[in-house]
Amino acid sequence: SDFSDGEFGADPDYVKPDAYKDGEASYYFRVGENYIEIYDGGDFTPVFMKGVNMGVCDPSHFPGELAVTKDEYLRWFQYISEMNANCIRIYTIQNPAFYEAFYEFNSQAEKPLYLFHGTWYNEDILAETNDAFDEGLRAELKKEEEDTINLIHGNCVIEERPGHAFGTYTRDISQWVIGWILGIESEAPFVEGTNTKNPEKTSYSGTYFTAENVTPFEVFWAETSDEVASYEMEHYGLQRPMTYTNWPT
């Protein structure tokens, strides 16, 4: 479909494909030796990822306004596809319009776009504490992790909060979400503060992630990764690749 002409709508005949079943877990994506591999219903195919980072605003609006419309998203997805990219990375939860447009585009597109979804820390708490294990920061992060998992399965309602996405999320896009990119760029004071304030945290033993003889901040990585993997497995029986975001400095 040409999404520049205002003709939108999900394909009514679209049927969500089955995931690959491996014991109790199912998954659509896995990490191969050199490439991410996508399940095509019969086998896993290596795919080179060419992506676009996408924020939550457009010119003339602040990010906290989340002013991008569903129609704009649909046009952008078409432009991204036409330039031969095949995936999008978002940093945090978007308004329902993003996920509705993503579903509608992919249900009609010959070649779907894939998604890497991020989770966000509360930067106000982070700046005050510089401690990844602060109870307030961990509670908010855990809530965001669970909301993000639920909403990609079309099963989430988020109450209105200033500067944050909110609404009712009903579109199941989980078959196109390649993986989680957890967290934000971790500045040195945040890492150092976490390590200094939690010297006893040098290991973690979880259901899917373990860490031995590491720094407290690396324990935080393992702990949150395990939370995300465990929650999606418990509620949806799915697993997907996972990583953390960071920057060279």
Side-chain angles (χ1 to χ4, degrees):
S1 297
D2 182 357
F3 292 99
S4 63
D5 61 8
E7 295 296 326
F8 308 130
D11 180 352
D13 298 322
Y14 176 77
V15 177
K16 181 180 177 179
D18 291 331
Y20 178 78
K21 185 75 172 174
D22 184 6
E24 295 182 359
S26 297
Y27 46 94
Y28 293 97
F29 312 97
R30 69 184 185 188
V31 178
E33 184 175 352
N34 295 305
Y35 298 96
I36 286 175
E37 298 178 350
I38 299 175
Y39 185 59
D40 62 9
D43 202 356
F44 282 89
T45 302
V47 178
F48 181 68
M49 292 288 109
K50 298 164 289 184
V52 173
N53 283 342
M54 182 174 286
V56 295
C57 67
D58 58 6
S60 79
H61 293 96
F62 290 105
E65 295 180 77
L66 294 106
V68 185
T69 67
K70 180 179 174 181
D71 290 0
E72 286 177 307
Y73 279 129
L74 282 163
R75 288 194 296 272
W76 292 353
F77 295 158
Q78 180 166 327
Y79 299 154
I80 290 169
S81 180
E82 287 174 353
M83 74 182 216
N84 207 31
N86 57 9
C87 63
I88 295 168
R89 180 267 185 102
I90 57 176
Y91 298 84
T92 186
I93 294 171
Q94 314 282 302
N95 273 341
F98 172 88
Y99 304 93
E100 292 168 5
F102 195 75
Y103 180 91
E104 292 189 12
F105 180 86
N106 277 348
S107 72
Q108 296 189 46
E110 182 178 345
K111 293 183 179 180
L113 294 172
Y114 296 98
L115 184 66
F116 291 90
H117 206 304
T119 58
W120 200 261
Y121 307 151
N122 184 314
E123 292 182 279
D124 293 330
I125 298 177
L126 188 157
E128 290 176 5
T129 67
N130 277 326
D131 183 1
F133 292 99
D134 175 82
E135 289 185 4
L137 186 143
R138 290 295 286 112
E140 285 204 19
L141 177 57
K142 192 169 187 294
K143 174 68 163 55
E144 167 135 342
E145 291 166 356
E146 294 176 357
D147 283 346
T148 304
I149 293 166
N150 288 330
L151 70 83
I152 71 161
H153 290 275
N155 181 33
C156 189
V157 176
I158 299 178
E159 296 181 359
E160 183 173 357
R161 296 180 300 162
H164 295 267
F166 64 91
T168 300
Y169 298 80
T170 61
R171 288 299 196 185
D172 183 350
I173 64 164
S174 58
Q175 66 271 33
W176 299 301
V177 179
I178 283 187
W180 306 113
I181 302 181
L182 305 182
I184 62 175
E185 292 84 353
S186 302
E187 295 184 351
F190 181 41
V191 178
E192 184 178 18
T194 298
N195 291 340
T196 301
K197 295 175 183 180
N198 304 276
E200 76 286 358
K201 295 183 182 295
T202 59
S203 65
Y204 173 80
S205 179
T207 304
Y208 302 104
F209 289 82
T210 60
E212 299 291 340
N213 299 318
V214 296
T215 66
F217 197 80
E218 290 169 312
V219 170
F220 167 66
W221 278 2
E223 185 179 280
T224 52
S225 298
D226 198 56
E227 282 177 356
V228 171
S230 297
Y231 187 89
E232 189 168 20
M233 260 301 287
E234 178 183 351
H235 291 82
Y236 301 100
L238 281 173
Q239 295 186 354
R240 62 192 77 241
M242 188 177 314
T243 188
Y244 260 86
T245 187
N246 213 336
W247 55 4
T249 52

